[in-house]
Amino acid sequence: MFTDIDDLRINYTDCGSDSGKGTVLLLHGWGSNITLFKNIVDMLSPHMRVLAPDMPGFGESDEPKEAWCVDDYVDFIGKFCEKTEIKPTVVLGHSFGGRVIIKAVTRELPVLSPEKLILTDSAGIKPKQSTASKIKTRTYKMGKAVMSTAPMKKLFPNAVENMRNKRGSADYLAASPVMRATLVKVVNEDLTELLPKIKQSTLLIWGDKDDATPLSDGVKMSELIKDSGLVTIENAGHYAFLDGWYTFSRVLASFLEIK
């Protein structure tokens, strides 16, 4: 189904009903969409009301009209909850969705105030750059500055774009110009200092083979979030809820007290 929020057409799913177990909000990761949450929706909807939006720029939802930062997505989630008239008791976020949740629950005036959080393979901790990586970044910035000058742009009009393409991640290369600029804003924000401010009981579920948000991030989050526990799923990657669905579903059912 669709709704309009700030002139953006937003696709979302709304299943089940609040039969005493509350309402759960699902937030997907970068480059993903709500279709990947099908198993979770099917599992929870007989017990809870389940809502999941395609966030702006993903799935069937419109792109933002200009580059957004994490706080813009937090504002969007607040407006989505108002529009759908929900106050989630549980919020689950994967990867980028987890990043949005961390900021949403730790604002001075929280946008979300659920009883429980579930962060799976969550983003939010900025990786430390190695010396080699720092050198590459510095070289790239110097080269970009040179090739962006008027004479060089005239001689080599595609040079800067070619440099970006060689350096960019798969997510960056697959994105539109607006979403590329959004990705740059999003990944450069470190949320580590916000983690101790999380008050909710928090379940962390991580794939031990995650190479996008490594298990070490999950360990660090479990150390910094006061009321939290970390479950590791063996032989699962960045999509632990798909790679290790059996274990993931059992852990989820236990945490939410669903039989």
Side-chain angles (χ1 to χ4, degrees):
M1 58 186 68
F2 290 90
T3 189
D4 290 319
I5 298 176
D6 289 343
D7 295 325
L8 297 179
R9 188 170 186 257
I10 302 299
N11 178 49
Y12 71 103
T13 186
D14 184 351
C15 303
S17 62
D18 184 349
S19 57
K21 290 293 184 180
T23 298
V24 60
L25 175 67
L26 310 178
L27 300 183
H28 62 75
W30 187 274
S32 184
N33 58 69
I34 59 178
T35 61
L36 294 190
F37 281 147
K38 184 179 186 304
N39 285 349
I40 298 176
V41 172
D42 289 347
M43 173 188 168
L44 298 183
S45 56
H47 309 277
M48 311 175 71
R49 185 179 177 190
V50 183
L51 286 90
D54 277 337
M55 289 191 280
F58 305 100
E60 296 182 48
S61 291
D62 289 343
E63 286 188 355
K65 294 177 174 57
E66 58 186 16
W68 277 15
C69 63
V70 181
D71 280 301
D72 292 315
Y73 279 98
V74 173
D75 291 340
F76 162 78
I77 291 302
K79 292 173 183 177
F80 175 79
C81 290
E82 288 178 6
K83 190 71 178 284
T84 53
E85 299 181 336
I86 63 165
K87 292 183 178 180
T89 51
V90 179
V91 184
L92 181 153
H94 169 245
S95 192
F96 171 63
R99 187 189 291 273
V100 175
I101 290 170
I102 291 168
K103 294 211 77 172
V105 300
T106 57
R107 276 191 179 175
E108 188 173 349
L109 292 174
V111 170
L112 296 173
S113 298
E115 298 170 8
K116 295 182 176 182
L117 300 182
I118 302 156
L119 302 177
T120 178
D121 301 289
S122 178
I125 296 177
K126 188 176 180 179
K128 292 183 178 179
Q129 278 191 311
S130 64
T131 300
S133 180
K134 288 179 180 177
I135 292 172
K136 286 182 180 179
T137 299
R138 184 175 178 82
T139 301
Y140 167 75
K141 288 182 177 178
M142 291 172 63
K144 181 182 174 184
V146 171
M147 300 310 292
S148 295
T149 60
M152 298 305 284
K153 284 175 72 174
K154 188 173 182 179
L155 289 171
F156 307 101
N158 299 319
V160 173
E161 184 63 23
N162 290 337
M163 289 172 66
R164 288 198 189 101
N165 290 341
K166 287 181 180 180
R167 179 180 168 81
S169 65
D171 282 337
Y172 181 85
L173 297 177
S176 68
V178 166
M179 296 309 291
R180 285 185 181 185
T182 297
L183 178 59
V184 171
K185 287 187 175 186
V186 165
V187 300
N188 284 325
E189 187 169 0
D190 188 359
L191 307 184
T192 304
E193 66 178 17
L194 297 180
L195 298 174
K197 298 180 181 180
I198 293 176
K199 299 176 181 178
Q200 286 82 3
S201 178
T202 303
L203 171 63
L204 303 163
I205 309 179
W206 238 266
D208 67 344
K209 300 293 191 292
D210 189 339
D211 58 2
T213 52
L215 179 58
S216 58
D217 287 3
V219 172
K220 190 168 186 178
M221 287 189 182
S222 70
E223 293 171 348
L224 294 175
I225 300 173
K226 296 180 182 68
D227 182 11
S228 66
L230 172 64
V231 175
T232 304
I233 300 183
E234 294 185 2
N235 299 315
H238 187 53
Y239 291 82
F241 63 95
L242 296 177
D243 299 338
W245 171 246
Y246 177 79
T247 302
F248 186 97
S249 62
R250 301 284 74 77
V251 171
L252 190 61
S254 177
F255 185 63
L256 298 180
E257 300 177 346
I258 291 173
K259 295 182 180 180

